[in-house]
Amino acid sequence: MLDRMFSATRRVGVVVGWILVHVLIGIGLALLLAAAIIQFFWGEISVNQMLLNIVAVETDGGGGPIVWVSILGIGVAPLLITVGLALWLYFRRRKVRHSGGSIQPRRPPWIMRTVSTVLVAAVVIGGSTAFAATVGVGDYLDAVNSDYEVGDFYVEPTVTRDANRRNLVLIYLESGEGTLADDELFEKDAFAPLKAVTPAADGWQTVEDLQQYEGGGWTMSGITSTQCGIPLKGIGSSSGGGAYNALGGNVQTYLDGATCLGDVLGQHGYTSVFLGGANASFAAKDVFLDNHGYAEVKDLSYWRTLGEPATAFRSDWGLSDERLLAHARDEVDELHATAERTGQPFNLSLLTLDSHEPVHIYDYCEVDTRNEVTSAFFCSMTQVAGFVEHMEQQGYLEDTAVVIMGDHLKQIGGGHAFQDELEDHGNRTIFNRIWVPGGDGDADLRPGVDQLSMYPTILEAAGLTLSGREAGLGVSAFAPEAPPGSAQAMDPSHYAELVTSLSPEFYAEAWSGEDAAAQ
């Protein structure tokens, strides 16, 4: 009896061990392939970027081919390989048993077991290590252990005066890195068309050396940092609600506890409209905008209902910048006419698309560079420049502030252009131009600020007076210096730790919809 029980237990143990080994192989392969795919399409990213982009994945107008490659490469391929390996080993052993064990191994069993163990360990450890390095797990663990809390420095934006409020046009340039203006490093200045219509001699200003905040680097991080004044993160707040209640599903809220640009403008009578060529559901951009004061969000589905021809769309993302900016001209005409009639200002926010890699070359774009990405950037900036010229010709710049800036630095993953030129560059910055009517913004802009300070800067450009000139963690670039005690007055190394800290208390409240400042 005991022998039978021992034998049965041993067989169960062998089966469980066999299953566990193959599960580990599958996990190792999935992590290894995930690291390879992420490196190719995005380069090194953060844990926050990974999770906050998969809260609402879209195969239509959200980088569809990339999504499918990720699903097949990370989900399907490891499963098929693991199952195939298991079946091969099963039938091989079955063949040996049916042959009466007459097939003699070419090597001693202990060697085969050792080699197998080493190979399994290599797959598991290699996959885990590669994935951890690619998504910055080490940085995330440092953030977990940080003593800094964003809530200790967060400043709720307080408008003390809005008598000088003015219309606002906010344009985000996809991957709009200012470094691409260096015509000695690249084939030509990608921003030349936009520079031509925004000269300093006419009153346009620039935040010199505008920095991407530490830990940023993707579209939603660029939008939320410049509109809310806080780093985009949410790890540790999963129990609080919002996007973390629906990874990959139906996201209901997005940073409801934070007071962002659209919220403040809405409190002061603004009508906010967003135009973008891609599917706004990707990464829950539409939820963020809807939660924070935007009355209309016009995206891929909207442009399709207007009957735009198929040639106006790129299959992976959406509407071309040529057509987007054409609609933007109509939109700003309508919004400006309504503002003049009602006395209520507007905020028109745009996000370009043509410069998102892999680039798509439309018929209106002439490729005159060896690397077509340079031409694609140039063509996109040409479309934006045409929109700025339209506003100037219509006289809108007399009562409308304009803020133009990149949403983040250009990504330089293995499959992206300019990796050699940018990887070791000493000062990668974000392109920007600011227009304030009537010379109200003639004061020099404080150089070297990061994206978090663009939030109060935009509010001041719109003519609103801010208490302390602060909002979120940012201090307006129109302020000559950061006030003592503010996040921006911290030692740079301490500020970097604050910005990258997990800050679970602050973000739990920000995501749950509670007032994040009331801690």
Side-chain angles (χ1 to χ4, degrees), residues 164-392:
N164 295 324
R165 63 182 182 168
R166 54 178 69 94
N167 303 319
L168 172 67
V169 171
L170 176 57
I171 305 175
Y172 290 100
L173 309 175
E174 171 59 46
S175 305
E177 178 165 347
T179 317
L180 300 178
D182 186 347
D183 56 7
E184 294 184 1
L185 190 61
F186 302 96
E187 294 177 72
K188 64 178 179 179
D189 180 350
F191 294 98
L194 195 46
K195 285 181 176 180
V197 299
T198 58
D202 290 351
W204 286 86
Q205 296 177 274
T206 301
V207 176
E208 296 294 339
D209 295 331
L210 175 61
Q211 300 292 309
Q212 178 175 284
Y213 78 86
E214 189 73 24
W218 70 101
T219 295
M220 282 305 297
S221 74
I223 291 176
T224 55
S225 62
T226 57
Q227 294 202 20
C228 306
I230 56 176
L232 178 57
K233 61 187 67 178
I235 311 304
S237 64
S238 57
S239 61
Y244 286 93
N245 282 341
L247 286 178
N250 185 23
V251 178
Q252 299 294 328
T253 62
Y254 204 114
L255 290 177
D256 260 11
T259 302
C260 300
L261 178 69
D263 302 315
V264 177
L265 296 180
Q267 293 166 5
H268 294 272
Y270 281 74
T271 298
S272 292
V273 176
F274 177 89
L275 306 185
N279 187 338
S281 295
F282 176 71
K285 187 192 301 110
D286 55 347
V287 180
F288 169 79
L289 296 167
D290 181 65
N291 286 176
H292 293 284
Y294 280 80
E296 291 185 275
V297 176
K298 298 182 179 180
D299 67 345
L300 175 60
S301 61
Y302 180 82
W303 309 128
R304 283 174 173 164
T305 64
L306 293 185
E308 285 283 351
T311 54
F313 297 94
R314 50 187 291 183
S315 60
D316 55 349
W317 286 104
L319 189 69
S320 71
D321 286 348
E322 181 192 45
R323 295 304 304 149
L324 178 70
L325 273 302
H327 288 296
R329 286 191 283 272
D330 295 336
E331 192 74 42
V332 76
D333 289 346
E334 183 177 341
L335 288 171
H336 196 274
T338 301
E340 285 190 323
R341 185 176 67 254
T342 64
Q344 299 298 307
F346 67 85
N347 158 38
L348 175 61
S349 298
L350 313 171
L351 171 62
T352 65
L353 188 58
D354 284 7
S355 48
H356 195 298
E357 286 197 70
V359 296
H360 177 86
I361 303 298
Y362 294 92
D363 291 342
Y364 60 82
C365 182
E366 178 185 354
V367 176
D368 57 2
T369 55
R370 290 187 300 276
N371 191 322
E372 66 178 13
V373 176
T374 304
S375 293
F377 266 90
F378 190 92
C379 293
S380 177
M381 297 310 115
T382 300
Q383 301 305 316
V384 177
F387 175 68
V388 173
E389 286 184 313
H390 172 79
M391 288 192 290
E392 183 176 13

Side-chain angles (χ1 to χ4, degrees), residues 9 38 44 51 53-54 95 130 194 204 212 372 420 462 480 506:
T9 302
I38 292 171
E44 292 184 5
L51 291 178
N53 271 338
I54 64 172
K95 182 179 179 180
L194 195 46
W204 286 86
Q212 178 175 284
E372 66 178 13
D420 291 340
F506 177 85

Side-chain angles (χ1 to χ4, degrees), residues 116-128:
S116 299
T117 301
V118 170
L119 289 176
V120 171
V123 170
V124 175
I125 296 173
S128 301

